[in-house]
Amino acid sequence: MIFDVFCKIVRGELSQEGIVYQDDDFIVKKDINPQAPVHVIIFPKKHIFGMHDATAEMLGKAMVLSDKVAQQLGIADKGY
């Protein structure tokens, strides 16, 4: 299952290479098959099975984090 990869990254079982940001709740990692010049994936450290498991707080934090990372990567004014 594709989500197993993210769980293994969170547990440190797969390469930590390409991580551009990490905090207590989220990891932001460069996509290994990028579809754009800058392509990162934001995923929670807490395992969720689908959108029905996501909280408004988690989703809001991910949105704020996306802007923070876009600023860090210098693409905030380019659209993301």
Side-chain angles (χ1 to χ4, degrees):
M1 184 176 238
I2 186 74
F3 299 113
D4 292 340
V5 170
F6 298 113
C7 294
K8 288 179 180 180
I9 292 168
V10 169
R11 290 192 304 259
E13 296 171 6
L14 291 179
S15 173
Q16 302 297 296
E17 183 179 338
I19 291 178
V20 296
Y21 179 87
Q22 183 169 194
D23 64 19
D24 291 339
D25 301 312
F26 289 93
I27 292 177
V28 182
K29 191 172 188 328
K30 291 180 181 176
D31 193 316
I32 61 170
N33 186 26
Q35 302 299 306
V38 178
H39 188 181
V40 297
I41 300 171
I42 298 173
F43 56 96
K45 288 184 173 181
K46 178 185 176 198
H47 187 83
I48 62 171
F49 291 96
M51 288 302 292
H52 60 276
D53 288 330
T55 64
E57 179 183 7
M58 178 187 289
L59 295 173
K61 194 168 184 184
M63 294 298 293
V64 170
L65 180 55
S66 69
D67 185 61
K68 180 177 183 173
V69 171
Q71 295 282 341
Q72 176 184 321
L73 297 175
I75 61 167
D77 62 342
K78 311 238 187 299
Y80 57 94

